[in-house]
Amino acid sequence: MDRLCTRTIHELRSLMDQGACEPRALLQELLEQVERLNPTLHAYVTVDAGRLMRQLEQRLRQGPRGKLFGIPITVKDNLCVQGEETTCASRILRHFRPPYTASAIERLTQEGAIIVPRANMDEFAFGSSTESSAYGVTRNPWDLERVPGGSSGGSACAVAADAAIAALGTDTGGSIRQPAAFCGVVGLKPTYGRVSRYGLIAFASSLDVIGPITKDVRDCALLLSVIAGHDPKDSTCAPVEVPDYVAALQRPVKGLRFGVPKEYLIEEGIAPDVKAALEASCGALERLGMRRVSVSLPHTSYAVAAYYVVATAEASSNLARYDGVQYGARAATDGGSLLDMYQRTRADGFGTEAKRRIILGTYVLSRGYYDAYYLKGLKVRTLIKRDFDEALASCDVLICPTSPTAAFRIGEKLDNPLQMYLSDIFTISANLAGIPALSMPCGFTAKGLPIGMQLLAGPFREEVLLQVASAYEQATEWHRRKPEIRSCSTSR
Ligand code: GLN
């Protein structure tokens, strides 16, 4: 029998129901896998096996015995877990132990899950490669010289390497979908407001969403059904009823229409193997009885610029609170003034990318530049939203690549932030428009790297995304491939 840590949530659930899987054995196997692989992959900043065992014993004693009873779920290091160090992979939050737990995590716990904290990430979720973590880079399990994507690179890497059963990530401009694509797993960015952001350490509050990263579409539907829904602790969390996402997987897709935005296929920089995989996937959807229509998103070429104005503006405001007084680390002042303390704390505490964004965001919000940049960015955002409204009026889902290329090499884009930003071209529009989008495996490059296909739908239409994704998954085998990870005994 396959090791338990290689299984999906729904497989483990039925094994447990048959008495063929015991939560202690599952956690034990998972911890062995993490111990074996984490020194090489660095998917987790740290894992405290003792605390996890204690959490499990408590769960076994007291329940609740819900949908996720005894199943370990990994969470990104920007989701607060009461009493557990939560740092956003930043030095400035070192030793910060939140006094409360994120609502999404609370909901997992209410279903009996075991929470495995501290999946590695780009500092404050700024990035597309997990290289900006203050605690070291995460490697791609398919090729250790390559990035796992970002910013939820640790979550996606752990799921792909069976060092997690499933995970939560966060997505402000693609941070669930792009790492899911680079690591060959499923990632869903829900509609803005579908999942409570309470307890998510903010990057850009009008764009941030929490969502699942899983081994298959069924697990994705299952986790979404647990974490979605209204939360009085977050006023931007929508009071919209949560449908049965798992039931949606059974619905036939025959007759549904998918639109391929024409701008996305002429985009320069899209790799030939990504394009070929997407074309083949469109063929597979047609064979499932779906109809292809041509659509246009005319403002696509402005999306990256608008996003980096809006996102950095919000980030610079959100990061103003880290002053060495209220949270985490404080620099030694050596008798200096209060201002010295602020300055030194922030100079030592933030990494290069965080500083770049604070400077850029402060600039676009400053008097004199506000109208020219920030206000204009917001106007473009509205136009992008309208593009989606129009395109989605003539089809049920949109199909495009998740990223223009497969995983790039570690270090390749680090000295060229603009090139790094451009790699988000296909993902950021969904955040600007607030709509749901899912990435799933749809092929491999000649070098054996996974390629991701992205599906987008109208607000709160996660069901149709999951329905189409499930039909495609059942008709293909991509999600069954596993990376062969070189032995890591030397690096221990
Ligand atoms: N890569 C994008 C950025 O750097 C998106 C990050 C995210 O979604 N958190 O801002």
Side-chain angles (χ1 to χ4, degrees):
M1 193 175 93
D2 284 344
R3 282 174 311 149
L4 295 171
C5 60
T6 65
R7 303 295 193 132
T8 59
I9 301 174
H10 61 89
E11 287 168 349
L12 291 166
R13 196 60 288 138
S14 52
L15 287 174
M16 283 187 196
D17 292 347
Q18 296 157 26
C21 166
E22 213 267 310
R24 281 195 193 92
L26 169 60
L27 184 59
Q28 197 58 49
E29 278 194 26
L30 184 72
L31 287 171
E32 279 164 22
Q33 180 80 340
V34 171
E35 196 187 332
R36 193 169 71 82
L37 294 181
N38 209 45
T40 300
L41 296 176
H42 199 53
Y44 294 90
V45 179
T46 53
V47 172
D48 187 337
R51 277 178 95 99
L52 286 169
M53 285 303 198
R54 287 195 291 281
Q55 194 190 147
L56 175 71
E57 292 308 324
Q58 195 214 9
R59 200 73 80 244
L60 293 178
R61 268 198 316 274
Q62 296 172 347
R65 295 186 175 250
K67 288 183 201 156
L68 300 172
F69 176 67
I71 311 269
I73 307 286
T74 293
V75 302
K76 190 175 174 179
D77 195 31
N78 59 351
L79 294 167
C80 291
V81 185
Q82 185 178 13
E84 296 274 353
E85 191 171 356
T86 306
T87 67
C88 275
S90 178
R91 280 192 302 276
I92 210 158
L93 279 175
R94 178 168 246 153
H95 306 315
F96 170 61
R97 292 183 188 272
Y100 57 87
T101 296
S103 293
I105 296 183
E106 251 353 320
R107 292 186 183 216
L108 298 177
T109 308
Q110 280 158 14
E111 292 293 341
I114 309 297
I115 305 302
V116 188
R118 307 217 66 192
N120 200 17
M121 56 182 285
D122 283 294
E123 182 179 14
F124 283 103
F126 301 154
S128 312
S129 65
T130 315
E131 291 167 290
S132 77
S133 165
Y135 304 109
V137 302
T138 298
R139 291 175 185 273
N140 189 310
W142 295 89
D143 178 346
L144 300 178
E145 302 307 316
R146 291 177 189 265
V147 303
S151 63
S152 311
S155 299
C157 167
V159 172
D162 294 322
I165 306 302
L168 292 188
T170 63
D171 192 311
T172 305
S175 281
I176 287 176
R177 291 160 285 157
Q178 184 253 24
F182 280 14
C183 293
V185 293
V186 178
L188 171 66
K189 169 213 139 16
T191 306
Y192 181 78
R194 177 73 289 187
V195 178
S196 169
R197 288 183 298 114
Y198 179 76
L200 157 62
I201 300 176
F203 161 4
S205 310
S206 78
L207 302 162
D208 296 341
V209 196
I210 301 173
I213 298 181
T214 56
K215 291 176 189 172
D216 69 6
V217 175
R218 176 166 289 268
D219 275 6
C220 186
L222 204 106
L223 276 192
L224 181 66
S225 67
V226 173
I227 61 174
H230 183 56
D231 176 15
K233 293 181 185 146
D234 172 6
S235 62
T236 63
C237 186
V240 173
E241 203 187 316
V242 180
D244 186 343
Y245 293 114
V246 177
L249 305 176
Q250 310 304 332
R251 291 185 204 142
V253 295
K254 196 162 188 275
L256 292 184
R257 289 155 307 165
F258 67 96
V260 182
K262 67 174 198 282
E263 291 77 8
Y264 282 19
L265 289 179
I266 52 172
E267 191 55 48
E268 47 184 294
I270 166 162
D273 36 15
V274 171
K275 207 167 180 168
L278 193 84
E279 273 308 329
S281 304
C282 289
L285 293 176
E286 282 174 320
R287 284 193 295 282
L288 287 167
M290 289 181 66
R291 215 150 37 83
R292 177 175 180 154
V293 297
S294 179
V295 292
S296 172
L297 298 170
H299 297 95
T300 298
S301 56
Y302 304 107
V304 173
Y307 169 83
Y308 277 94
V309 168
V310 174
T312 56
E314 293 187 24
S316 70
S317 319
N318 276 323
L319 265 50
R321 74 190 66 162
Y322 304 109
D323 57 3
V325 177
Q326 306 176 76
Y327 313 89
R330 175 185 302 177
T333 44
D334 304 327
S337 68
L338 182 63
L339 190 62
D340 285 339
M341 192 279 287
Y342 289 158
Q343 285 173 341
R344 260 187 253 163
T345 297
R346 288 171 69 87
D348 296 351
F350 288 129
T352 310
E353 185 59 27
K355 286 176 185 160
R356 184 179 290 123
R357 293 191 185 210
I358 292 170
I359 293 170
L360 188 58
T362 308
Y363 178 79
V364 301
L365 287 176
S366 58
R367 188 144 58 119
Y369 296 102
Y370 182 96
D371 290 353
Y373 294 106
Y374 184 67
L375 205 58
K376 191 162 283 167
L378 291 183
K379 287 178 180 166
V380 174
R381 182 177 187 174
T382 303
L383 295 176
I384 288 171
K385 167 93 179 78
R386 270 190 217 150
D387 279 0
F388 279 110
D389 291 345
E390 274 163 39
L392 286 163
S394 63
C395 59
D396 299 281
V397 292
L398 297 173
I399 301 287
C400 68
T402 306
S403 173
T405 65
F408 46 87
R409 288 184 181 284
I410 292 174
E412 190 180 317
K413 301 196 185 198
L414 216 48
D415 296 331
N416 190 341
L418 203 56
Q419 222 205 343
M420 184 85 88
Y421 296 171
L422 286 172
S423 71
D424 299 332
I425 176 85
F426 297 134
T427 48
I428 56 189
S429 301
N431 300 74
L432 290 170
I435 61 175
L438 178 148
S439 176
M440 68 188 300
C442 76
F444 284 82
T445 66
K447 290 203 176 84
L449 299 170
I451 298 173
M453 161 166 77
Q454 186 178 208
L455 294 78
L456 304 98
F460 298 98
R461 298 214 60 213
E462 284 82 359
E463 277 167 288
V464 71
L465 289 184
L466 292 161
Q467 176 185 355
V468 174
S470 172
Y472 177 84
E473 187 179 76
Q474 281 168 36
T476 55
E477 293 287 320
W478 307 118
H479 64 291
R480 293 192 201 287
R481 283 207 212 171
K482 296 265 185 181
E484 267 176 47
I485 303 160
R486 281 204 312 262
S487 161
C488 39
S489 50
T490 50
S491 59
R492 269 213 258 167

